Amino acid sequence: MTPFLSVVASVVAWVGAMLAAASLAVVGPARLRAAWRGLRGRIWDARRAIALLCVVLLASAVGRGSLQTVSRLFGVQATALIYALEGGFVAWVQATFAAPALTAYFSWVYVYGYAFLLSFPVIAYLALPRTTALRRLLVAYALNYGIGLALYTLVFAYGPRNVMPDMVTPLLFTNQPDVMLLASEVNVNTNVFPSLHTSLAVTVGTFAVLTREAFPRWTPLAVPLSLSVVVATMYLGIHWLTDVVAGFALAFGCVALAYRLVDPRSDPVGSRSDAAEERSEAGADD
């Protein structure tokens, strides 16, 4: 097995195990059984949101290289401006808090925890009898990626580990060098403003709070994990504080817009019977 495939296999194994455990603990066996029986219908109900997300991800994958060239030639050269705004904040974070245990934790969070954080809500919201939360989540994901890609094109900037190599250590790659193989396939070192790790993690955390009545066990897990991802982006020397602040703004804006775009009244009337069945079965899990 090549090093790249080994990294991918490790991520799949870790995330798969976490998804299985969280599905049983947070969603519950009865809801999972009900979701499985109605899976085809729920996917069909969410087909437009799924298609939108797929189109945005495909556009990002296909156009990333070309748009990066456009950004380099015509984008706003923001590295010096960001550095002038915050100086050595990220260097201070590393100098003050860096420790082997924290480095191991934040490296794990940045790769494995982040993948789990984005994946689990899809399973959880598929288990709900109505698809409103699922469709809003997928639309919010698509908005994050789409707006993020546009901003990456408009703003050309290097991260702190590239600007201050003598002060900021790329802790993720020194702790897990094989992860560089995976990172190089999905990102480049000038895709820093805004931090999509931050925006997507905060998006999930915000949805967890907004849907806490449906999954009360998910919120106290999702919020600390999403904030850990935010801290990891700076602790590992990948993003500036400015990128993180922009990521928060992007997340809240995308969630608000997703709620405006996805009307709960557009859920199929037929799902009411599913809701009654789900409520009766869910009682067995409590």
Side-chain angles (χ1 to χ4, degrees), residues 22 24-29 120 212-222 285-286:
L24 291 173
V26 174
V27 181
F120 177 73
R212 60 190 178 278
E213 292 185 2
F215 298 107
R217 297 174 184 171
W218 172 233
T219 308
L221 175 62
D285 290 337
D286 296 334

Side-chain angles (χ1 to χ4, degrees), residues 110 195 197-198 228-239 244:
Y110 189 83
S195 166
H197 262 67
T198 294
S228 291
V229 171
V230 172
V231 175
T233 64
M234 294 179 289
Y235 177 92
L236 298 172
I238 297 170
H239 283 286
V244 168

Side-chain angles (χ1 to χ4, degrees), residues 167-220:
M167 300 171 63
V168 176
T169 303
L171 293 175
L172 174 64
F173 302 134
T174 57
N175 185 62
Q176 298 186 32
D178 287 348
V179 171
M180 186 178 296
L181 299 171
L182 181 61
S184 63
E185 291 292 324
V186 298
N187 210 345
V188 294
N189 59 5
T190 55
N191 283 356
V192 295
F193 183 89
S195 166
L196 276 186
H197 262 67
T198 294
S199 69
L200 287 165
V202 173
T203 293
V204 172
T206 304
F207 267 92
V209 172
L210 293 172
T211 60
R212 60 190 178 278
E213 292 185 2
F215 298 107
R217 297 174 184 171
W218 172 233
T219 308

